[in-house]
Amino acid sequence: MFRKILIANRGEIACRVIATARRMGIATVAVHSDVDAASKHVAMADEAVRIGPAAVAESYLKGDAIIAAALRTGAEAIHPGYGFLSENPGFVEAVQAAGLVFIGPPASAIRAMGLKDAAKALMVKAGVPVVPGYHGESQDPTHLASEAAAIGYPVLIKARAGGGGKGMRLVTDPDDFAQALESAQREASTSFGDPACLVEKYITHPRHIEIQVFGDSQGNVVHLFERDCSLQRRHQKVIEEAPAPGMPAEVRAAMGKAAVEAAQAIGYQGAGTVEFIVDGSGPLRPDGFWFMEMNTRLQVEHPVSEAITGLDFVELQLRIAAGEPLPFRQQDLKINGWAFEARIYAEDVEKGFLPATGALDHLHFPPGVEFMRGAVRIDSGIRQGDEVPPWYDPMIAKVVVHGPDRAAALNLLSTTLERCRIAGSTTNLEFLTALSRHDGFRTGEVDTGLIARDLDALTAATPLPAEAPALAALAALNLLDPPKAPDPWDQLTGWRGWSDAESFAALDHKAGPLALRVLHLGNRQFRVTGAGFDTTLALLDHRHGAVRFACDGLQSVAHVVATADRISLFLSGHKHDFTRVDPLRAAEHDHAGGDAILAPMPGLVASLRTTPGARVTKGDALIFLEAMKMEHILTAPRDGIVAEVLVAEGDQVSDGTVLVQLEPEDG
């Protein structure tokens, strides 16, 4: 076994690999960019080496710098994690040429599955069913459009390299094909260095079911059952589960056999995932699944398969890379219970799931148990106080739960998500909770279109209970904390000979401004009125941010996180954010209004689609902004004429930058 390994990655997956290596007595080396110098994975590792500035191309994609770091520190092997260089056959060959071991499949296997068109051709030869579509070499837009017409709409444009939903566009109208193709090619080029795309038939009620496989250097290949990854938005997975609901034994056997044959066809070693698109219009059947692609690495969602098999996949990777055979045969593997994984992201659901940044002022997860030992597991590469940087994937944590059956595991997932508390950055936590309680999902009726169909209900604003603004006002006025020591005079707090003492708090909430009047009733009781609210609260206790209070005879607990400019309140499984208002600035006018297109996040201007003087219609695509490895389309907020274009292609812009200014409507 290896004495020391280097992890060529960052964040959650780097921490995940280090945890297993530490348990096995293997020393670890982390690599980091400048912005990750003080990150969690660096702190966990035994050693760390700087490899470059923040930009991925200048740090985590620099294979030569990573190999040099391994040689410098005496590491014997390199674990690639997922993303970055994990599926780069040239990197694998360079690692081996340097006398190091790559903890993953051989370069030939990665190369065989690296391009989706070539992989599908290989699968046809191996007898594995594939989705109908065009997988040829031509990238001429006219030719691809004609192939799409022949296939029949809707179609899916897919980058032939990479994965993770990048370079993928669903097209339902032939008139939209050209723009969708151009956008997919540009995103594919940015993410994978290869703009080529293929076109496939879009299955109208698809389920995304994948099979976990492992192979060793002795030629043994097994599958470790399936994961259902159908809950997706923008072709990216949101919640995964294992096993798949409604999976008959004969279909599991057929899909497992196809996945093993796919792996054997390329001499696969290590951990891999064979992804299938499955017809979800009715019961699953042995002839209703088709090969999509193979991910020649560890998957983000591997913990759900670990949970139902009781295996540590990273340990298996390490043992296989060290030359050991698989310690089991197919007939030895059994499914135990049910598991779910939910991905918590820094993203703004109300703005179309746009990535968010910012410092994590507060980060609390429900108490889990020791790694790999219990029902709740939190995998995270970030800590309280850390920044969510704009350079990398904005995932904060993965919440993994395991129960004896699907209903029990899903209930545990909902409860765990409700008890997570994150302040300082916008997250998708409430969306995940709503999704975990979705009626269709709870009954196992899942397909990749579920989120899109029910998006309005899943993202509906949470009503603001009267206790929330009342507690926020008390927090803004520093009235939540009890006196340092008991004082009999406290009984007279708020007493006046002619009236009750009062204070005023000005707050902003997404529902609108809140001007609140706080009456001091004495004995830590307050009446808060204003903005349509009238609430009387009695404060009972306040410890470590947890405020116990009584309202109309009902005792409850809220968690309050207050910073210089924001108050975040966690109450009954919901988060309510309030911004402190400076009275001297409350009347400032927002000069941009509906006349400007602002950058919703830090990013790179990938493409401009307008010029000064152009007439635009509401909804027209004006700017393509690349941020956090995805491309986002910014559109005209109204009909009008472009007055100014304030950026150029290739510009790096910050959050809130005015990119395009329209002429005033009365101009």
Side-chain angles (χ1 to χ4, degrees), residues 62-110:
K62 291 190 68 174
D64 55 348
I66 290 170
I67 292 171
L71 294 173
R72 174 184 172 187
T73 57
E76 302 159 285
I78 294 179
H79 193 300
Y82 45 69
F84 296 141
L85 294 170
S86 62
E87 294 180 281
N88 185 318
F91 178 66
V92 178
E93 291 166 341
V95 169
Q96 294 170 339
L100 303 169
V101 175
F102 180 77
I103 302 171
S108 58
I110 297 176

Side-chain angles (χ1 to χ4, degrees), residues 309-325:
T309 60
L311 298 169
D312 183 333
F313 287 2
V314 173
E315 179 179 349
L316 282 176
Q317 285 185 297
L318 293 170
R319 294 194 179 282
I320 289 169
E324 297 182 20

Side-chain angles (χ1 to χ4, degrees), residues 345-433:
Y345 278 95
E347 62 184 9
D348 194 330
V349 174
E350 295 182 358
K351 292 183 179 178
F353 298 93
L354 287 178
T357 56
L360 296 176
D361 301 322
H362 182 77
L363 188 63
H364 169 83
F365 298 115
V369 290
E370 186 178 352
F371 176 68
M372 293 293 295
R373 296 291 177 85
V376 176
R377 165 178 162 185
I378 306 294
D379 284 7
S380 179
I382 200 164
R383 301 157 300 187
Q384 183 168 298
D386 287 350
E387 290 272 348
V388 179
W391 304 96
Y392 315 117
D393 186 90
M395 186 166 69
I396 294 173
K398 301 186 309 195
V399 174
V400 185
V401 299
H402 179 233
D405 53 46
R406 190 173 189 271
L410 193 48
N411 285 338
L412 182 58
L413 178 66
S414 298
T415 302
T416 303
L417 290 170
E418 284 184 351
R419 293 176 179 172
C420 293
R421 300 193 299 271
I422 303 174
S425 178
T426 303
T427 75
N428 64 342
L429 253 177
E430 293 211 28
F431 168 75
L432 292 175
T433 304

Side-chain angles (χ1 to χ4, degrees), residues 393-522:
D393 186 90
M395 186 166 69
I396 294 173
K398 301 186 309 195
V399 174
V400 185
V401 299
H402 179 233
D405 53 46
R406 190 173 189 271
L410 193 48
N411 285 338
L412 182 58
L413 178 66
S414 298
T415 302
T416 303
L417 290 170
E418 284 184 351
R419 293 176 179 172
C420 293
R421 300 193 299 271
I422 303 174
S425 178
T426 303
T427 75
N428 64 342
L429 253 177
E430 293 211 28
F431 168 75
L432 292 175
T433 304
L435 188 55
S436 72
R437 297 195 179 283
H438 182 278
D439 289 341
F441 179 42
R442 294 189 76 81
T443 58
E445 298 172 5
V446 295
D447 63 74
T448 59
L450 183 149
I451 290 177
R453 286 195 306 272
D454 293 346
L455 188 60
D456 289 345
L458 291 168
T459 59
T462 303
L464 187 61
E467 304 96 307
L471 288 166
L474 296 179
L477 296 169
N478 298 316
L479 295 173
L480 291 179
D481 290 322
K484 299 290 184 185
D487 188 333
W489 291 101
D490 289 337
Q491 299 297 321
L492 298 177
T493 299
W495 180 86
R496 295 293 185 274
W498 56 94
S499 68
D500 292 326
E502 60 183 24
S503 304
F504 295 90
L507 301 170
D508 268 340
H509 183 264
K510 63 183 179 182
L514 301 171
L516 301 170
R517 175 173 176 253
V518 178
L519 296 174
H520 300 244
L521 305 180

Side-chain angles (χ1 to χ4, degrees), residues 116-274:
K116 295 182 179 67
D117 50 359
K120 289 175 189 284
L122 183 62
M123 290 301 98
V124 170
K125 288 184 180 180
V128 179
V130 302
V131 179
Y134 175 73
H135 308 134
E137 290 294 325
S138 175
Q139 292 296 299
D140 177 66
T142 302
H143 179 76
L144 291 176
S146 66
E147 290 289 342
I151 294 168
Y153 286 87
V155 298
L156 200 60
I157 300 171
K158 298 175 67 175
R160 71 175 182 177
K166 300 172 184 66
M168 190 180 295
R169 300 291 185 272
L170 172 63
V171 187
T172 58
D173 188 329
D175 292 340
D176 298 331
F177 185 85
Q179 180 175 306
L181 175 64
E182 182 180 348
S183 179
Q185 289 174 331
R186 184 168 49 249
E187 190 170 88
S189 181
T190 299
S191 299
F192 316 120
D194 182 356
C197 292
L198 50 86
V199 183
E200 291 183 345
K201 179 67 178 174
Y202 181 74
I203 309 301
T204 53
H205 293 284
R207 287 178 63 178
H208 181 134
I209 298 177
E210 56 191 35
I211 304 291
Q212 175 73 53
V213 296
F214 263 93
D216 62 24
S217 57
Q218 285 75 35
N220 303 305
V221 180
V222 299
H223 73 82
L224 291 89
F225 313 113
E226 78 280 357
R227 297 185 289 262
D228 195 310
C229 307
S230 299
L231 287 190
Q232 302 179 9
R233 49 90 182 155
R234 296 190 309 187
H235 308 294
Q236 289 194 305
K237 301 165 186 174
V238 179
I239 295 179
E240 303 94 358
E241 63 181 298
M247 173 64 74
E250 64 272 19
V251 179
R252 175 176 292 125
M255 294 183 71
K257 179 175 181 292
V260 168
E261 289 174 349
Q264 290 173 329
I266 58 173
Y268 200 78
Q269 297 175 32
T273 299
V274 183

